Amino acid sequence: MTDVAGVSQSTAGTLYVVATPIGNLDDMSARALKVLAGVALIAAEDTRHSVRLLQHFGIDTPLAACHEHNERDEGSRFITRLLAGDDVALVSDAGTPLISDPGYHLVRQARAAGVRVVPVPGACALIAALSAAGLPSDRFIFEGFLPAKTAGRRARLEQVKEEPRTLIFYEAPHRILECLQDMQAVFGDERPALLGRELTKAFETLKGLPLGELREFVAADPNQQRGECVVLVAGWTAPAGEQAVSSEALRVLDLLLAELPLKRAAALAAEITGVRKNILYQAALDKQKNH
Ligand code: SAM
């Protein structure tokens, strides 16, 4: 059988995207171990790091580097192996590859070459934190790492200030305090937030507090400024008595209303802004009444 890329799917190998633990080695799945032991080659973000993980589990599959600096150019090496029939596994240093980690270019190239790509799911810091945060989890957005400098960080935070979905950020420990300061300045003292630190490890912290208090908690304890961290911030909600739709959502709605029938404009605006359709529909009706 051949696919659109003319590749024989029965002879090409499979690229497995394999999640590894984010701290606690017991989080390695039985399937991940089976796949890593069974493939011809493991493409690893840092081979020295992954070799220790593999040794721990008694796996001696050969490793080759696949990191952000070589992934785009060297990807073809892995694709050649895959097309020749070898199975390859992709791993990063911790957690799920491609999630703030290398792998995107390799996965893209593999799919473009008609190679089957199979996820082997497991640990992921953002999902682990969200699952235990007690913040709304039905809809959320992952913002990855914020810019390192305050001006850039605040500018990015301003863009999501009125985002109604739960916000998730990765942050480096030496910037966690500045980051919380900027979040407090942009989102306000009272916005519910959570610091997920050293998840799955011995000194795990899951501290949920309003942003002002969370910043004070981290400032008062240098231990909270070490280790790996995820920050979750509750989405924006309209203060009681104020209109329930953000100014950005209303701006989008206005633009669409100028071009489209009311129902279609409200539906599209909902898709773009994440605000519920019926709320935007009501806002559009109110606008019509007032004109
Ligand atoms: N691919 C990984 C994943 O699936 O979560 C993320 C890799 S990214 C380079 C590393 C960042 O993830 C850290 O700086 C931190 O923000 C977050 N992270 C990774 N492990 C963590 C842990 N055990 N506890 C809290 N955050 C963690």
Side-chain angles (χ1 to χ4, degrees):
M1 189 178 89
T2 57
D3 68 3
V4 280
V7 173
S8 167
Q9 296 211 322
S10 53
T11 56
T14 297
L15 175 64
Y16 293 94
V17 183
V18 181
T20 57
I22 54 169
N24 189 329
L25 293 185
D26 286 348
D27 289 337
M28 191 76 169
S29 77
R31 183 168 171 232
L33 290 176
K34 208 190 294 177
V35 167
L36 293 175
V39 294
L41 182 68
I42 298 173
E45 178 182 7
D46 179 344
T47 54
R48 285 165 308 174
H49 180 97
S50 294
V51 87
R52 287 198 293 275
L53 179 78
L54 295 178
Q55 271 168 359
H56 176 86
F57 290 108
I59 294 171
D60 60 3
T61 306
L63 289 152
C66 178
H67 45 69
E68 60 177 330
H69 305 296
N70 77 350
E71 185 193 346
R72 209 185 283 243
D73 302 330
E74 298 281 310
S76 57
R77 236 168 18 118
F78 298 109
I79 304 297
T80 305
R81 291 286 298 265
L82 285 156
L83 291 177
D86 286 335
D87 289 335
V88 175
L90 168 69
V91 296
S92 60
D93 286 355
T96 302
L98 280 82
I99 306 302
S100 294
D101 265 345
Y104 165 70
H105 296 289
L106 180 59
V107 167
R108 236 178 106 87
Q109 287 172 18
R111 293 184 65 85
V115 169
R116 188 166 160 243
V117 181
V118 171
V120 181
C124 179
L126 78 102
I127 298 296
L130 180 67
S131 72
L135 292 172
S137 55
D138 51 342
R139 302 176 80 209
F140 59 90
I141 61 165
F142 174 52
E143 282 286 308
F145 287 96
L146 288 163
K149 300 217 171 92
T150 283
R153 190 160 50 225
R154 287 201 182 190
R156 180 82 70 79
L157 292 172
E158 284 290 345
Q159 287 171 4
V160 290
K161 187 178 172 177
E162 291 185 343
E163 166 59 56
R165 293 168 287 187
T166 297
L167 299 152
I168 307 179
F169 305 88
Y170 282 168
E171 190 50 277
H174 60 281
R175 282 198 285 268
I176 188 65
L177 195 51
E178 292 169 38
C179 171
L180 289 171
Q181 267 157 7
D182 288 342
M183 286 178 169
Q184 185 183 1
V186 175
F187 299 142
D189 297 354
E190 299 305 323
R191 186 86 75 98
L194 175 128
L195 172 67
R197 203 184 59 84
E198 293 288 89
L199 296 173
T200 79
K201 304 185 201 176
F203 298 104
E204 179 179 81
T205 305
L206 279 152
K207 192 74 177 172
L209 284 171
L211 267 173
E213 290 175 48
L214 187 61
R215 203 235 348 116
E216 279 169 22
F217 167 77
V218 172
D221 181 357
N223 283 329
Q224 299 301 330
Q225 299 163 39
R226 300 198 181 103
E228 300 195 274
C229 26
V230 188
V231 180
L232 275 72
V233 180
W236 178 83
T237 48
E242 284 187 21
Q243 60 180 0
V245 188
S246 71
S247 51
E248 177 58 14
L250 287 176
R251 194 182 70 81
V252 172
L253 182 63
D254 273 344
L255 287 172
L256 294 170
L257 277 172
E259 305 290 335
L260 296 168
L262 188 144
K263 207 169 162 187
R264 182 83 192 114
L268 261 185
E271 226 164 274
I272 294 166
T273 61
V275 177
R276 284 216 310 277
K277 192 164 65 184
N278 58 349
I279 293 179
L280 288 171
Y281 186 70
Q282 189 55 51
L285 285 176
D286 292 346
K287 272 175 188 290
Q288 269 193 346
K289 257 190 257 152
N290 297 334
H291 277 105

